[in-house]
Amino acid sequence: MNINSIFENNKEWIARQLALDKDYFTHLAEGQSPEILYIGCSDSRVTAEELMGAEPGEIFVHRNIANLIPNTDLNSRSVIDYAVSHLKVKHVVVCGHYHCGGIKAAMENENLGILNPWLGNIRDVYRLHYKELNAIEDTDRRYERLVELNVAEQCLNVGKIPEVQDAIINRNLSIHGWVFDVRTGQLIDLTKEFANSFQIRAQKIADIYLFKPDTSG
Ligand SMILES: [Zn+2]
């Protein structure tokens, strides 16, 4: 991708869109009502809309290194709050991907400076699932499993947010955990597997993270 060709590409894209629908941009300017919030990795190979076949206006997107929702990260928390409380999305998707550089970096014991606090969130996931991960002898499979478990833990982090809990209870908001396989282009839905494994811990999770409903008025 040559940066000098971008504005030419843009003109061509506008012409293509208008040829399909002369009111395309008029409709786009009217506002957005996406049903899905997608939280994915910043990796240039894992685009949000293309891999789902979605059009502009259909998906609210947040991307960062290794699709994390840390407890104190105002950026991702603000995106989730806006999407859930104001746009009233019906689904929150956390999508990880195999061959994720962020996950790989977290598995190596290297000091990466300013990246350390961010990657520490992934190392926490490794620590939580240490027994399962260390029992996997094949390094590639262990790396893949950490990608999957990271998605599971980030789904849980989404569920810790009171606005999300309210939306789950009051309007059936659902949380989905996916993995994108860059080797095949396939999207894999791990929601069921995670739901089963979290079921075992559900009461503990509810005891610790579920906020009391606001009855003040
Ligand atoms: Zn990644």
Side-chain angles (χ1 to χ4, degrees):
M1 182 76 183
N2 183 335
I3 198 156
N4 296 321
S5 59
I6 286 178
F7 286 89
E8 266 319 302
N9 293 350
N10 174 248
K11 276 184 204 152
E12 286 166 21
W13 174 72
I14 293 168
R16 273 200 309 276
Q17 295 304 111
L18 291 176
L20 290 170
D21 174 6
K22 66 177 173 45
D23 298 319
Y24 183 80
F25 293 102
T26 314
H27 290 145
L28 213 54
E30 281 167 2
Q32 60 168 340
S33 53
E35 292 194 358
I36 299 168
L37 164 61
Y38 168 96
I39 301 165
C41 184
S42 297
D43 191 303
S44 60
R45 298 165 296 177
V46 193
T47 57
E49 287 87 352
E50 282 87 346
L51 64 90
M52 286 186 265
E55 296 294 326
E58 291 185 314
I59 317 278
F60 200 65
V61 175
H62 180 72
R63 291 169 70 182
N64 61 37
I65 294 173
N67 39 273
L68 300 177
I69 301 103
N71 292 318
T72 55
D73 176 40
L74 286 178
N75 189 351
S76 56
R77 295 286 292 245
S78 302
V79 169
I80 293 168
D81 184 56
Y82 183 69
V84 170
S85 306
H86 298 276
L87 294 174
K88 306 231 179 284
V89 294
K90 295 177 180 167
H91 309 274
V92 178
V93 171
V94 179
C95 184
H97 70 102
Y98 297 135
H99 287 233
C100 180
I103 301 286
K104 190 156 185 49
M107 286 178 79
E108 287 158 5
N109 292 80
E110 265 186 63
N111 180 355
L112 294 169
I114 192 66
L115 281 170
N116 290 329
W118 192 257
L119 298 179
N121 294 294
I122 307 167
R123 293 184 174 124
D124 289 344
V125 174
Y126 200 114
R127 178 173 47 77
L128 282 167
H129 298 275
Y130 188 79
K131 216 170 149 190
E132 178 185 343
L133 288 164
N134 268 27
I136 304 171
E137 281 179 23
D138 182 70
T139 327
D140 290 341
R141 181 55 204 145
R142 196 189 309 149
Y143 172 25
E144 285 182 356
R145 189 60 183 153
L146 182 56
V147 167
E148 295 165 2
L149 291 170
N150 180 52
V151 169
E153 290 297 334
Q154 302 316 315
C155 286
L156 180 57
N157 282 350
V158 173
K160 291 176 190 171
I161 302 169
E163 289 76 17
V164 170
Q165 294 173 3
D166 285 349
I168 290 171
I169 292 164
N170 296 323
R171 57 179 190 81
N172 229 3
L173 173 81
S174 55
I175 302 173
H176 308 257
W178 298 349
V179 169
F180 177 68
D181 192 340
V182 290
R183 298 162 298 194
T184 61
Q186 204 190 351
L187 260 183
I188 302 155
D189 189 355
L190 298 171
T191 314
K192 234 184 210 153
E193 188 207 318
F194 296 155
N196 291 340
S197 64
F198 280 129
Q199 204 84 50
I200 304 161
R201 302 194 270 149
Q203 193 51 50
K204 195 161 89 183
I205 290 167
D207 282 351
I208 298 169
Y209 298 112
L210 194 62
F211 290 85
K212 291 184 184 80
D214 182 5
T215 50
S216 62

